[in-house]
Amino acid sequence: MKAWFTSLNQREQMSLLLLALVLALYLFYLFAWAPLNSKREQLALQNTAIAESRARVDAMVSELLQLRQSGVQTGARRSLTTVINESTSRLQLPVIRLQPNSQGEIQVRLENAVFDDVLKWLYEMEYTEHMLVREVSLTQANAPGLVNITARIAEAG
């Protein structure tokens, strides 16, 4: 290869060296510079989005602190009994007994309730109403698909 290169005249040698330099610069741009630049732009967009999100959170925090200082209630709290009565009525669950205890919990007794509706109700209590289902006792009722349940429910927090 070296013999072939030295056999070329000086003008051809300079042309080949210049071509090799241009090709090396192009390959550097193609495989190093362009991907890094693209990644930098992507990270810049992520940083902008995070900064905007942080600004919104900061605004909400300051608003919440102002509301707390002014004494405004941030959410209307319903009583545990009201929440249970509304949810069982909505799901048409047969409530036999609601019995509060001294720890602020309520024992709920349902008889001949549809099993799927009971599961929906327990899920709603935990995840929608943010209540704590402390204890559940479940037995099969006389008909298929129906259950008797005793649950102890408390307010979260």
Side-chain angles (χ1 to χ4, degrees):
M1 180 79 131
K2 186 176 180 183
W4 171 78
F5 185 75
T6 56
S7 70
L8 299 173
N9 67 34
Q10 188 177 6
R11 186 172 191 202
E12 291 172 338
Q13 287 177 356
M14 290 301 285
S15 295
L16 280 176
L17 288 175
L18 184 61
L19 178 63
L21 178 65
V22 168
L23 183 62
L25 289 174
Y26 176 72
L27 290 175
F28 173 75
Y29 174 78
L30 187 64
F31 292 111
W33 188 267
L36 288 175
N37 193 37
S38 173
K39 187 66 174 175
R40 184 188 63 79
E41 289 173 359
Q42 180 184 4
L43 290 174
L45 288 173
Q46 281 180 335
N47 284 344
T48 303
I50 289 171
E52 290 172 357
S53 176
R54 182 172 180 236
R56 287 192 304 270
V57 168
D58 287 344
M60 285 187 266
V61 166
S62 64
E63 181 181 348
L64 180 62
L65 290 174
Q66 287 176 351
L67 288 173
R68 282 185 182 168
Q69 288 175 352
S70 66
V72 175
Q73 292 290 333
T74 57
R77 291 198 60 113
R78 299 178 296 164
S79 74
L80 185 56
T81 307
T82 304
V83 171
I84 291 172
N85 283 333
E86 288 175 0
S87 62
T88 54
S89 295
R90 185 173 50 256
L91 292 170
Q92 298 176 349
L93 293 172
V95 177
I96 303 302
R97 182 180 69 229
L98 281 177
Q99 182 176 1
N101 66 19
S102 61
Q103 290 113 8
E105 303 169 340
I106 294 187
Q107 186 177 29
V108 182
R109 174 75 180 165
L110 307 173
E111 290 186 0
N112 296 320
V114 178
F115 180 70
D116 291 340
D117 292 341
V118 169
L119 292 180
K120 287 178 193 174
W121 177 67
L122 291 171
Y123 179 86
E124 184 178 315
M125 290 289 97
E126 283 271 336
Y127 295 101
T128 305
E129 299 295 341
H130 306 291
M131 301 292 170
L132 295 176
V133 178
R134 296 220 186 254
E135 184 180 326
V136 175
S137 173
L138 190 74
T139 58
Q140 186 175 358
N142 296 333
L146 299 180
V147 293
N148 298 328
I149 179 176
T150 302
R152 232 176 17 136
I153 300 175
E155 290 189 40

